[in-house]
Amino acid sequence: MTSLHLDWGILFEESPTGDGPYWQLLLTGLKWTLATAMSGWLIAVAVGAVVGVIRTVPSRWLSLLGDAYVEVFRNIPFLVQLFFWFFVLPELLPEAAGSWMKQSMPRPEFFTAAVGLGLFTAARVAEQVKSGIQSLPRGQRNAGLAMGLTLTQTYRYVILPMAFRIVIPPLTSEFMNTFKNSAVALAIGLTELTFQMKQMVEYSNQVIITILATTVLYMVLAMAVNRLMAWIEHKSRVPGLIAGGGK
Amino acid sequence: MIEINNVSKWYGEFQVLTDCTTKVQKGEVVVVCGPSGSGKSTLIKCVNGLEPFQAGTITVEGTSVGDPKTNLPKLRSKVGMVFQNFELFPHLSITENLCLAQEKVLGRGHEESMEKGLKLLDRVGLKAQAQKFPGQLSGGQQQRVAIARALAMDPIAMLFDEPTSALDPEMVNEVLDVMVQLAKEGMTMMCVTHEMGFARKVANRVIFMDRGAIVEDAAKEDFFGQPRSERAQTFLSKILHH
Ligand SMILES: Nc1ncnc2c1ncn2[C@@H]1O[C@H](COP(=O)(O)OP(=O)(O)O)[C@@H](O)[C@H]1O
Ligand SMILES: [Mg+2]
């Protein structure tokens, strides 16, 4: 049980992977976790906002399309989705595109993870956006339309600004989830934080230190997200309204 | 100016409006009253196309509301509407509330919108509140801003849906005063309200609705003198003696 002896010096020893010392190994992982989660999050917010909105507009086809998206992406395990994008999609695409994905696409595991994570999280963002919009008093939409704004303008200037304020708290936890879920991408070979943690455990045999160090890094990320979202919430607070602004 | 001809509307099986016919002439003030659930809000929302209807026609200055070819946003921009719950936009300051549609719908410049908005705000006695947000105003103040916001579009007619029902009693008069002044200036108005004092003061006609139908449509003097239907009499005696 030598691993119980906490020798933090291990972090400064060279790792046999050629990545430099072990702390650098973990840092590379942190970098990929950050890159994957952040790009995934941007995609999730963009796609999720659109899907959430079309589920609330008075068009049967659009809302069915939005519902279908959410059902598919929410009910299939994220790992399966990743495998689909990574292994199956190139086979389904036209010859040229497929072989480009397999052979020449730069950093395929990163792009697949970011886009896959984005599309998966978008379904969850869409749920929040939809319920945020629906929690607004219905009269707001009528008031916008009654002044002569088009439906699009009513969404843009009246409904969405309030809906986004309402969804900031639930979106905070979805944002944190993108960091946790990005670890799934180790299954397609992305050298993110959890992947690096496994490597370090294997090579250094320092299980406890490795896991503790990784835990600290994930917690730092979570706290940073939390602070960022709290800051956004504070900045967008509406004078005279109680937090959240819903009725 | 507003002509409603044989309008019927259903929510699924449930008929909300039954063969409603009436008109509002230019400069006329028509008060619509009736028990809760009788279809007053629905009727008034049909006038600017916020609610679709399945039978009959409504025209506003000759433009048919139900015609799919009608440019509804354009028509709505000419008809002001004031709601029971004010419906100011909480994330926008009072001046932003006043300018939004002037700029986005009418294409007015910011300065012109601002000037117009502030003038109307002054008219409803709220110039000092220009920089505040709706959540920082009382209900009565919010409703007066809502009226100013509608007027900023230079409407040819105004629709009111129970503009004072959500207010504390002490704030009702500040809103009614603005409405009375508007009526006296010759604004064409269709007002759903139970404020019979307002009706007596400025209405030309009073419409009484019950179960989706227009039961009574009479000149003010006739309505208050001797409403013909029993239901209208019962309703009147109830709201006049509460
Ligand atoms: N979206 C809706 N779906 C089904 N029924 C509705 C809807 N809106 C209103 N109703 C019904 O239509 C009737 C008339 O409503 P409304 O016009 O709001 O009455 P009023 O304004 O006179 O109180 C009520 O019985 C109400 O329950
Ligand atoms: Mg009503």
Side-chain angles (χ1 to χ4, degrees), chain A:
Chain A
M1 290 287 117
T2 50
S3 58
L4 271 178
H5 170 66
L6 296 186
D7 175 15
W8 291 94
I10 184 73
L11 286 170
F12 300 96
E13 279 173 29
E14 281 300 306
S15 83
T17 58
D19 284 308
Y22 280 114
W23 66 264
Q24 213 165 2
L25 189 79
L26 292 182
L27 213 62
T28 310
L30 183 70
K31 194 185 81 187
W32 285 115
T33 292
L34 205 60
T36 309
M38 294 298 283
S39 4
W41 180 244
L42 292 181
I43 295 169
V45 169
V47 175
V50 172
V51 174
V53 165
I54 66 172
R55 295 174 78 200
T56 66
V57 298
S59 153
R60 233 177 98 70
W61 285 111
L62 282 178
S63 57
L64 273 178
L65 190 70
D67 289 349
Y69 181 95
V70 170
E71 287 309 313
V72 168
F73 283 89
R74 210 179 41 171
N75 291 329
I76 297 171
F78 178 44
L79 181 60
V80 177
Q81 293 186 27
L82 263 191
F83 280 168
F84 177 86
W85 300 125
F86 201 65
F87 299 114
V88 183
L89 185 65
E91 309 299 330
L92 298 180
L93 287 176
E95 183 69 33
S99 64
W100 177 81
M101 273 191 79
K102 280 188 277 191
Q103 284 146 29
S104 355
M105 187 163 103
R107 306 210 174 276
E109 64 295 327
F110 167 68
F111 282 105
T112 308
V115 173
L117 184 59
L119 296 179
F120 168 75
T121 312
R124 311 175 59 94
V125 171
E127 278 291 271
Q128 304 295 352
V129 169
K130 177 188 167 191
S131 59
I133 290 173
Q134 287 178 338
S135 74
L136 291 173
R138 209 185 142 65
Q140 289 277 298
R141 180 189 303 233
N142 277 344
L145 295 174
M147 295 195 305
L149 296 173
T150 60
L151 187 63
T152 313
Q153 288 176 319
T154 302
Y155 268 89
R156 158 121 193 256
Y157 300 113
V158 177
I159 299 174
L160 291 181
M162 280 311 290
F164 268 106
R165 287 173 168 88
I166 290 172
V167 298
I168 291 171
L171 283 192
T172 302
S173 71
E174 291 305 336
F175 194 4
M176 290 189 189
N177 280 341
T178 60
F179 285 89
K180 293 187 254 171
N181 289 334
S182 67
V184 171
L186 69 86
I188 56 169
L190 182 71
T191 56
E192 48 70 57
L193 189 50
T194 304
F195 183 98
Q196 300 293 69
M197 176 191 80
K198 284 181 65 180
Q199 287 219 79
M200 184 168 160
V201 166
E202 256 165 59
Y203 292 120
S204 72
N205 266 329
Q206 295 286 344
V207 181
I208 294 182
I209 284 183
T210 308
I211 291 178
L212 280 180
T214 309
T215 305
V216 167
L217 290 177
Y218 273 117
M219 282 182 62
V220 167
L221 285 178
M223 280 188 307
V225 168
N226 204 313
R227 294 324 306 152
L228 175 69
M229 294 300 271
W231 179 77
I232 293 175
E233 192 180 355
H234 179 77
K235 281 284 153 194
S236 61
R237 188 159 289 164
V238 173
L241 278 197
I242 1 154
K247 260 211 210 176

Side-chain angles (χ1 to χ4, degrees), chain B residues 167-185:
Chain B
L167 295 175
D168 293 334
E170 73 272 18
M171 292 173 185
V172 169
N173 280 328
E174 64 190 61
V175 172
L176 287 180
D177 287 347
V178 172
M179 291 171 63
V180 167
Q181 193 197 353
L182 204 56
K184 287 188 173 155
E185 284 165 15

Side-chain angles (χ1 to χ4, degrees), chain A residues 137-140 142-150 153 157-158 161-162 165 238-241 247, chain B residues 45 48 50 73 76-77 79 81 83 87-92 100-101 104-105 133 135-136 149 153:
Chain A
R138 209 185 142 65
Q140 289 277 298
N142 277 344
L145 295 174
M147 295 195 305
L149 296 173
T150 60
Q153 288 176 319
Y157 300 113
V158 177
M162 280 311 290
R165 287 173 168 88
V238 173
L241 278 197
K247 260 211 210 176
Chain B
K45 281 185 202 148
N48 62 356
L50 284 181
R76 288 172 182 147
S77 71
V79 180
M81 187 161 198
F83 300 83
E87 306 300 352
L88 294 180
F89 305 138
H91 61 291
L92 299 179
L100 180 69
K104 305 299 174 194
V105 178
F133 281 77
Q136 298 169 316
R149 181 175 75 174
M153 303 294 284

Side-chain angles (χ1 to χ4, degrees), chain B residues 61-149:
Chain B
E61 261 203 336
T63 309
S64 170
V65 179
D67 186 340
K69 289 195 290 287
T70 296
N71 181 342
L72 273 182
K74 186 159 178 222
L75 182 142
R76 288 172 182 147
S77 71
K78 295 194 280 187
V79 180
M81 187 161 198
V82 174
F83 300 83
Q84 186 171 352
N85 294 313
F86 333 133
E87 306 300 352
L88 294 180
F89 305 138
H91 61 291
L92 299 179
S93 70
I94 301 307
T95 53
E96 287 166 338
N97 265 279
L98 290 162
C99 292
L100 180 69
Q102 292 190 67
E103 290 171 21
K104 305 299 174 194
V105 178
L106 302 180
R108 285 183 186 151
H110 183 65
E111 263 166 41
E112 190 190 350
S113 313
M114 202 65 171
E115 196 185 334
K116 176 117 203 163
L118 289 175
K119 209 169 85 194
L120 286 162
L121 205 54
D122 194 24
R123 189 171 143 186
V124 299
L126 293 170
K127 201 165 190 177
Q129 320 290 337
Q131 301 311 321
K132 291 197 176 160
F133 281 77
Q136 298 169 316
L137 302 188
S138 72
Q141 292 176 322
Q142 288 191 52
Q143 194 61 300
R144 285 186 280 154
V145 172
I147 295 173
R149 181 175 75 174

Side-chain angles (χ1 to χ4, degrees), chain B residues 11 14 16 35-42:
Chain B
Y11 281 119
F14 176 66
V16 225
S36 170
S38 57
K40 307 178 298 292
S41 299
T42 309

